[in-house]
Amino acid sequence: MSAPPPLGIDFGGTGIKGAPVDLATGDFAAERVRIPTPRPATPDAVAAVFVELLAAFPEATGPVGVTVPGIVRHGVVGSAANIDDSWIGVDADALFSEATGREVHVVNDADAAGLAEVRYGAAAGHRGLVILTTLGTGIGSAMVHDGVLVPNSELGHLLVDGAIGGSTGAAVAEERASNRARETEELSMEEWAARLTDYYRHLERLFSPDLFLVGGGISKRSEEFLPLLDIDTEIIPATLRNKAGVVGAALHAVHAAG
Ligand code: BGC
């Protein structure tokens, strides 16, 4: 008998989405379920949603992976840039495992997307250093070298010291170049692309990657801004779109469960 499929859960700002994942193909093994994110999205409130979500998939008895939009070290959440502060210091693996009675492993949201894209998506089979950036409310990042993830790279939090879009003084990269910055400052695609060029050039200088992948909801409009970037490294849109979190979380769960 083959192992029961793992279940991936993508914990986002507006929705919590889950599905069992067929690791042979990277596809969902059953139709995805989405439950609105509770407000406030405290760890306990979110755990209650996971219990509800798991009940929808009685056959998916394998390990459970969960994305978290913050630093995660050995199951403990270390930062909360865009989520409730009460997450900081929480052993989320322990909390969710206890709440659900299942083996649960959390992973940074961008790291999950990076794992999924390198295994099944835009960077499948790519060797060398692949850097995924997700352009959303913040900027998430995943650094994957020859298929191996270096977790918690947090490249959205680089201090860019005036180097993005002519800002003066030190600035956190995601505050200048995320999709939220584009929306709130009502930047044109050209203006935003100029900031992204500064940002990716900074990453090029630091890491000399072989490939950049661009994820996040705005990546479906990549033809409107990627051609405007002036950088040396190949840069392409991620392809798994809103499946990446769920699939990557499931991959992480299986890996972490050993
Ligand atoms: C957080 C990252 C996260 C990213 C995307 C950033 O603000 O620090 O951990 O991956 O947002 O959600």
Side-chain angles (χ1 to χ4, degrees), residues 43 89 96-97 101 114 124 147 149 160 191 195 206 218 233 251:
F96 296 146
S97 296
L149 173 74
V160 286
E191 289 167 326
R195 292 188 183 190
L206 292 176
I218 192 69
T233 309
L251 270 174

Side-chain angles (χ1 to χ4, degrees), residues 69-71 79 81-82 108-110 134 138-140 154 157 174:
I71 294 170
S79 73
N82 296 304
N108 172 264
D109 55 357
T134 59
I139 295 181
E154 291 290 330
H157 287 256
E174 71 179 9

Side-chain angles (χ1 to χ4, degrees), residues 81-172:
N82 296 304
I83 52 174
D84 200 87
D85 278 348
S86 57
W87 283 83
I88 295 178
V90 168
D91 185 337
D93 278 11
L95 176 82
F96 296 146
S97 296
E98 187 158 327
T100 60
R102 299 277 297 273
E103 180 171 356
V104 182
H105 295 281
V106 299
V107 59
N108 172 264
D109 55 357
D111 282 343
L115 284 173
E117 291 290 343
V118 166
R119 179 84 168 259
Y120 307 107
H126 250 269
R127 295 187 61 81
L129 179 62
V130 176
I131 298 184
L132 164 84
T133 53
T134 59
L135 304 176
T137 309
I139 295 181
S141 66
M143 294 180 72
V144 186
H145 184 254
D146 284 353
V148 177
L149 173 74
V150 180
N152 299 309
S153 47
E154 291 290 330
L155 301 182
H157 287 256
L158 275 179
L159 282 178
V160 286
D161 197 19
I164 294 188
S167 57
T168 50
V172 175

